[in-house]
Amino acid sequence: MRPAPGAKPADPGARTSTESVRPSRRAGLTRGDQLLFLTDAQLRQGVELMFFAYRDMISDADKVLESRGYGRAHHRCLHFVWRRPGMSVTDLLETLAVTKQSLNRVLRQLVEDGLILSAVGAADRRQRLLTLTPEGETLVRTISDAQNARMRRVFMEAGADAVQGFKTVLAGMIDEGGREAVLALVNDQGPS
Amino acid sequence: MRPAPGAKPADPGARTSTESVRPSRRAGLTRGDQLLFLTDAQLRQGVELMFFAYRDMISDADKVLESRGYGRAHHRCLHFVWRRPGMSVTDLLETLAVTKQSLNRVLRQLVEDGLILSAVGAADRRQRLLTLTPEGETLVRTISDAQNARMRRVFMEAGADAVQGFKTVLAGMIDEGGREAVLALVNDQGPS
DNA sequence: CTTGGCCAGTCAACAAGGCTGACATAAAAT
DNA sequence: ATTTTATGTCAGCCTTGTTGACTGGCCAAG
């Protein structure tokens, strides 16, 4: 879904079944470590691959959520509360980058359904510190397992170097303001 | 600040159910080409990075769309019609993986606004073959340019090998049924 | 040739989950 | 005492997903 105007030829690299585009390296711009000759078509491919891969990855979670009557918004809440037990509503708001009204609607449901606990903060009593109930954790883990199956297979097939490149590029795509905080969260082991 | 309605969040996924065990589990499996120690935490990182990177990548397109009063669904239509001029509604439906009713609403708007042309098929008169008007193409290119700026910077910084790995992993994440068709579209130079 | 089945596309109605704005309250900060 | 911060909530709108019912073209069997 995201476009990119095209340019010229490409050279199909080939790695997976059909291919994956090998950036042609030619004498052109040297940029730090690599000689990358980036055509618009190559950039477009990156954007389109993100669209399709993301779309299919999410479908794994959707299947589990569907049976419980929840949507993706519920999953996002559950996931991050699981990753950062005791986080405040504001923390969650910033992580998700949505408005508090949107979040609150979903959060209220999860608390009512007994998947999330909302406790008044000890230090700052205005805050509501969020944690998962055992039932909430069970659901999160069920969804995770479904998604991990896909990731594990792909990572195995692609190999360690490809996985490293994958993570490097994705990290670079995150908005600079806030990238550090996001990467800190992602890299945090958390209480698993 | 973001008009995004049907956004799609990714979902965080994460470990299997090892419960409160520190993720130091490395069942050293060697697998063909690489030594990959895939802990649940590593898989979770992949899923979370997809969520954040996708979210921020899309925001580039959102900014352009916002000013015209369109949403992501409009962009997806315009993009793929641009990539495959003359495609039928059914073709587009399959590419986007949404219901035809959802698509039709958006498509109707774009036709009314003069961004897309809908022509009765010559061979099968039930079909409506879609193409972009010059105005539609202008919009698509504007959005592409915005997204390409991000991708170009990231690809440059990451280097050719990382980009290769990135594309390999994403290709592998696409659902197997239909993966070939998707990769064929992605790799098609089209009439850019 | 007509009729019934199937397929492409359209229209109608509803739900999820984004958004903004206005307000209320409690607690912390000044 | 006043202001700021953290949170919750109501109302209302928009995009975009869904299911169901319907139109009209294509085609093949009777």
Side-chain angles (χ1 to χ4, degrees):
Chain A
M1 74 152 60
R2 263 53 231 202
K8 267 243 94 186
D11 7 346
R15 230 309 206 178
T16 17
S17 52
T18 314
E19 79 169 74
S20 357
V21 175
R22 153 175 46 106
S24 41
R25 49 184 66 146
R26 299 163 50 183
L29 303 177
T30 46
R31 167 63 179 231
D33 44 350
Q34 300 282 347
L35 304 184
L36 261 185
F37 199 73
L38 295 173
T39 63
D40 286 340
Q42 287 172 323
L43 299 173
R44 176 190 51 68
Q45 288 175 340
V47 175
E48 287 181 356
L49 283 171
M50 280 291 287
F51 168 66
F52 290 114
Y54 188 83
R55 184 192 70 178
D56 291 347
M57 184 188 78
I58 299 213
S59 71
D60 293 336
D62 284 342
K63 285 170 198 143
V64 178
L65 292 164
E66 197 176 12
S67 61
R68 307 268 308 221
Y70 289 135
R72 291 170 185 178
H74 301 89
H75 182 205
R76 290 194 289 273
C77 282
L78 290 169
H79 178 79
F80 289 110
V81 169
W82 173 52
R83 291 276 291 132
R84 291 279 209 214
M87 77 192 307
S88 69
V89 173
T90 298
D91 290 340
L92 188 52
L93 234 38
E94 285 167 2
T95 301
L96 299 177
V98 296
T99 59
K100 69 177 173 179
Q101 294 87 341
S102 287
L103 174 60
N104 200 258
R105 185 196 304 131
V106 171
L107 205 46
R108 196 192 320 157
Q109 269 185 274
L110 293 171
V111 170
E112 283 170 4
D113 293 353
L115 299 184
I116 285 184
L117 283 179
S118 174
V120 171
D124 185 335
R125 297 181 45 192
R126 290 171 303 181
Q127 295 184 327
R128 293 297 180 286
L129 306 184
L130 309 171
T131 50
L132 293 186
T133 62
E135 192 183 342
E137 188 163 337
T138 296
L139 178 56
V140 163
R141 286 186 188 281
T142 301
I143 297 169
S144 289
D145 289 349
Q147 286 189 308
N148 280 6
R150 180 185 299 259
M151 292 301 277
R152 178 170 283 114
R153 176 186 58 73
V154 175
F155 278 13
M156 285 299 216
E157 290 172 2
D161 291 343
V163 170
Q164 181 56 56
F166 167 74
K167 290 187 176 180
T168 298
V169 172
L170 289 182
M173 287 174 63
I174 296 169
D175 281 348
E176 221 148 348
R179 183 186 303 167
E180 269 193 45
V182 168
L183 293 179
L185 170 59
V186 171
N187 291 319
D188 181 22
Q189 290 305 313
S192 71
Chain B
M1 72 155 292
R2 173 162 281 141
K8 270 93 195 300
D11 316 47
R15 70 215 54 170
T16 26
S17 10
T18 19
E19 221 346 309
S20 42
V21 175
R22 232 80 247 279
S24 57
R25 110 202 228 289
R26 12 158 40 227
L29 294 181
T30 54
R31 163 66 177 236
D33 44 352
Q34 301 284 347
L35 303 185
L36 265 184
F37 297 106
L38 293 175
T39 62
D40 289 338
Q42 285 173 320
L43 299 173
R44 175 190 51 70
Q45 287 176 344
V47 176
E48 289 182 354
L49 282 172
M50 281 291 288
F51 169 64
F52 291 113
Y54 188 82
R55 185 191 69 179
D56 291 347
M57 184 187 79
I58 292 265
S59 72
D60 293 337
D62 284 341
K63 286 170 197 142
V64 178
L65 292 163
E66 197 175 14
S67 60
R68 307 267 310 220
Y70 289 137
R72 291 171 186 179
H74 300 90
H75 181 204
R76 290 194 286 271
C77 282
L78 290 169
H79 179 77
F80 289 110
V81 169
W82 173 52
R83 293 276 290 133
R84 290 279 209 218
M87 76 192 309
S88 69
V89 172
T90 298
D91 290 339
L92 188 51
L93 234 38
E94 286 166 1
T95 300
L96 300 177
V98 295
T99 59
K100 62 181 171 181
Q101 294 79 355
S102 284
L103 174 61
N104 201 260
R105 184 194 308 122
V106 170
L107 207 45
R108 196 192 319 151
Q109 269 185 276
L110 293 171
V111 170
E112 283 170 5
D113 293 352
L115 299 183
I116 284 184
L117 283 179
S118 173
V120 172
D124 186 337
R125 296 178 47 195
R126 289 171 302 181
Q127 296 183 326
R128 295 296 180 279
L129 306 184
L130 309 171
T131 49
L132 293 187
T133 62
E135 192 184 341
E137 187 162 339
T138 297
L139 178 56
V140 162
R141 286 187 187 280
T142 300
I143 297 170
S144 289
D145 290 348
Q147 287 189 306
N148 280 5
R150 178 185 300 258
M151 293 300 278
R152 178 170 282 114
R153 175 187 57 74
V154 175
F155 278 13
M156 285 297 215
E157 290 172 2
D161 291 344
V163 171
Q164 175 61 57
F166 167 74
K167 291 188 175 180
T168 297
V169 172
L170 289 182
M173 287 174 62
I174 296 169
D175 281 347
E176 221 146 351
R179 183 185 304 166
E180 269 195 46
V182 168
L183 293 178
L185 169 59
V186 171
N187 290 316
D188 180 23
Q189 287 308 309
S192 4

